[in-house]
């Protein structure tokens, strides 16, 4: 009963098979191999973006930080939600890779509204040389609070960014889960809504260590004066994220794309989460995030959480847990592609018995 994180999942056999398939003979290094070229073409086709530049890195932190550094000068600020991963979970990596750009937090928890984003933008960039200049907007879908922005929400946020001439980055660590939840195409969730650079995450959806960065206008100027594609390439190398044996990270992404495995894995995780949510709601427990994909936050008495964890359930209590056994405590449950019906049934059984 492991609901701690989708990072804890195993790797699907399809990925292992493709890794074995490419593990024969010699291949060009540093991304000049045929597998990498095929992956780039397939990502462009998936996103309906024939001119996009596609790059692979090992982690979501690298994907986000290098993308934002390409869009943001050191004297600018990045607008993001109060609970964005780039703010709470990346050890100031965006600030580091941008050379000191700050983050401006948009009030409202994990979900930004156009009105709150506009208010945050108006609060910056108006103090001349004494204050930070306005920089890119970063949107996370699925959010850190387990919510999913609708396509109209993403479009509205991008429209506000465009009013002020700002670019938009999409943190898609759980991109596939959001896409499946919305029943949309990757293009609809990104460039058709106004996104400039998107992270097509793979690690949380079953891959070992592969994230794709998709730059939709690679010839647009970056913060340094290079094109966005040129600058991203240089930053990847300088940051130590350019694989020498690049075909092995590309092989993971190739498996992910073949026969829409990315979508199937996300669908499995989302479906398990809905089964879990229905079971908890049937017990009268509150699900806090209403627009969930594969992650939910729910409240239950502390004693019920303790009983579930004592029975072997692995998950985290969120915030500041209460001290009294009968007081409600907030917890996070995350389903991944390999979560089983048996795990969910057992968890619900233990939780029900403890209430």
């Amino acid at each position: 009963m492991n609901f701690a994180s989708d990072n804890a999942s195993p790797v699907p056999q399809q990925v292992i098979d493709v890794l074995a398939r490419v593990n024969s003979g010699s291949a060009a290094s540093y991304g000049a191999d045929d597998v990498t070229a095929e992956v780039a073409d397939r990502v462009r086709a998936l996103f309906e973006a024939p001119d996009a530049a596609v790059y692979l890195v090992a982690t979501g932190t690298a994907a986000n930080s290098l993308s934002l550094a390409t869009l943001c000068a050191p004297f600018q600020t990045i607008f993001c939600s109060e609970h964005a991963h780039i703010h709470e979970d990346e050890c100031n990596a965006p600030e580091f890779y941008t050379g000191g750009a700050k983050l401006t937090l948009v009030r409202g928890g994990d979900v930004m509204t156009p009105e709150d984003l506009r208010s945050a933008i108006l609060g910056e960039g108006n103090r001349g040389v004494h204050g930070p200049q306005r920089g890119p907007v970063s949107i996370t879908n699925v959010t850190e609070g387990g919510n999913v922005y609708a396509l109209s929400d993403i479009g509205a946020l991008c429209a506000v960014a465009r009013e002020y001439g700002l670019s938009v980055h999409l943190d898609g660590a759980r991109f596939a889960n959001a896409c499946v939840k919305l029943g949309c195409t990757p293009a609809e969730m990104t460039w058709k809504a106004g996104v400039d650079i998107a992270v097509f995450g793979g690690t949380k959806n079953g891959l070992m260590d592969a994230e794709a960065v998709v730059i939709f206008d690679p010839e647009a100027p970056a913060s340094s004066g290079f094109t966005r594609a040129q600058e991203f390439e240089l930053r990847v190398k300088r940051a130590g994220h350019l694989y020498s044996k690049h075909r092995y990270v590309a092989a993971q992404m190739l498996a992910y794309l073949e026969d829409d495995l990315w979508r199937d894995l996300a669908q499995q995780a989302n479906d398990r989460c809905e089964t879990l949510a229905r079971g908890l709601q049937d017990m009268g427990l509150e699900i806090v995030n209403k627009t969930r994909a594969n992650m939910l936050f729910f409240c239950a008495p502390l004693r019920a959480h303790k009983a579930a964890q004592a029975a072997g359930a692995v998950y985290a209590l969120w915030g500041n847990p209460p001290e009294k056994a009968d007081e409600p405590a907030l917890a996070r449950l995350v389903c991944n592609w390999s979560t089983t019906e048996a795990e969910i049934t057992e968890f619900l059984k233990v939780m029900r018995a403890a209430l």
Side-chain angles (χ1 to χ4, degrees), residues 241-309:
H241 276 275
L242 180 60
Y243 285 84
S244 56
K245 295 184 178 180
H246 202 278
R247 60 173 151 166
Y248 294 102
V249 67
Q252 296 177 58
M253 189 58 65
L254 180 60
Y256 199 51
L257 295 167
E258 285 185 344
D259 300 321
D260 281 342
L261 179 63
W262 66 276
R263 187 179 291 277
D264 292 342
L265 297 175
Q267 187 69 67
Q268 289 171 214
N270 288 9
D271 288 348
R272 294 292 185 267
C273 186
E274 276 308 300
T275 300
L276 194 54
R278 286 194 299 270
L280 293 171
Q281 288 173 324
D282 288 345
M283 296 178 210
L285 298 175
E286 178 191 6
I287 307 296
V288 175
N289 57 314
K290 305 303 182 186
T291 55
R292 59 194 166 269
N294 69 315
M295 176 167 53
L296 64 82
F297 289 79
F298 78 108
C299 289
L302 180 62
R303 56 182 165 76
H305 291 301
K306 294 297 185 183
Q309 291 173 335

Side-chain angles (χ1 to χ4, degrees), residues 69-74 221-228 230-232 234-235:
T70 298
L71 297 173
C72 189
S223 59
S224 65
F226 288 99
T227 68
R228 287 175 180 171
Q230 289 171 331
E231 177 153 338
F232 193 89
L234 294 170
R235 287 187 176 278

Side-chain angles (χ1 to χ4, degrees), residues 30-337:
Y30 298 110
D33 58 279
D34 293 340
V35 181
T36 298
E38 182 179 353
V39 165
D41 285 342
R42 289 194 179 207
V43 171
R44 292 186 191 103
L46 179 65
F47 279 83
E48 305 169 48
D51 297 323
V54 179
Y55 300 98
L56 304 179
V57 295
T59 69
T61 295
N64 288 332
S65 301
L66 294 168
S67 296
L68 288 166
T70 298
L71 297 173
C72 189
F75 44 79
Q76 292 180 316
T77 187
I78 299 160
F79 298 94
C80 64
S81 80
E82 292 176 312
H83 297 300
H85 199 270
I86 61 172
H87 168 55
E88 291 192 335
D89 296 289
E90 294 185 353
C91 195
N92 295 3
E95 294 92 328
F96 174 76
Y97 281 108
T98 57
K102 67 174 290 185
L103 303 182
T104 293
L105 305 183
V106 180
R107 67 185 183 186
D110 63 309
V111 176
M112 295 187 291
T113 67
E115 294 74 23
D116 287 337
L117 175 59
R118 181 179 285 106
S119 178
I121 292 171
L122 289 174
E124 296 289 8
N126 52 18
R127 299 194 296 281
V129 72
H130 302 288
Q133 305 304 298
R134 295 165 180 162
V137 174
S138 180
I139 303 169
T140 309
N141 211 20
V142 178
T143 74
E144 291 303 300
N147 290 298
V148 180
Y149 284 104
L151 296 181
S152 59
D153 297 329
I154 298 173
L157 292 171
C158 290
V160 172
R162 289 290 179 268
E163 286 180 32
Y164 299 93
L166 307 181
S167 55
V168 179
H169 156 262
L170 179 71
D171 176 351
R174 295 184 174 94
F175 186 104
N177 301 98
C179 208
V180 165
K181 175 68 175 181
L182 295 173
C184 69
T185 67
E188 289 171 331
M189 205 170 82
T190 55
W191 66 267
K192 288 186 177 182
V195 171
D196 294 284
I197 297 182
V199 176
F200 181 53
T203 309
K204 291 184 187 298
N205 198 32
L207 300 188
M208 291 180 186
D209 54 355
E211 312 279 312
V213 175
V214 188
I215 303 175
F216 295 107
D217 186 358
E219 297 303 314
S223 59
S224 65
F226 288 99
T227 68
R228 287 175 180 171
Q230 289 171 331
E231 177 153 338
F232 193 89
E233 285 190 31
L234 294 170
R235 287 187 176 278
V236 166
K237 176 62 177 178
R238 185 171 183 264
H241 276 275
L242 180 60
Y243 285 84
S244 56
K245 295 184 178 180
H246 202 278
R247 60 173 151 166
Y248 294 102
V249 67
Q252 296 177 58
M253 189 58 65
L254 180 60
Y256 199 51
L257 295 167
E258 285 185 344
D259 300 321
D260 281 342
L261 179 63
W262 66 276
R263 187 179 291 277
D264 292 342
L265 297 175
Q267 187 69 67
Q268 289 171 214
N270 288 9
D271 288 348
R272 294 292 185 267
C273 186
E274 276 308 300
T275 300
L276 194 54
R278 286 194 299 270
L280 293 171
Q281 288 173 324
D282 288 345
M283 296 178 210
L285 298 175
E286 178 191 6
I287 307 296
V288 175
N289 57 314
K290 305 303 182 186
T291 55
R292 59 194 166 269
N294 69 315
M295 176 167 53
L296 64 82
F297 289 79
F298 78 108
C299 289
L302 180 62
R303 56 182 165 76
H305 291 301
K306 294 297 185 183
Q309 291 173 335
V314 181
Y315 64 97
L317 298 183
W318 225 247
N320 297 311
E323 294 182 1
K324 295 182 179 179
D326 289 330
E327 290 183 344
L330 180 66
R332 185 184 84 159
L333 303 176
V334 186
C335 294
N336 64 71
W337 72 271

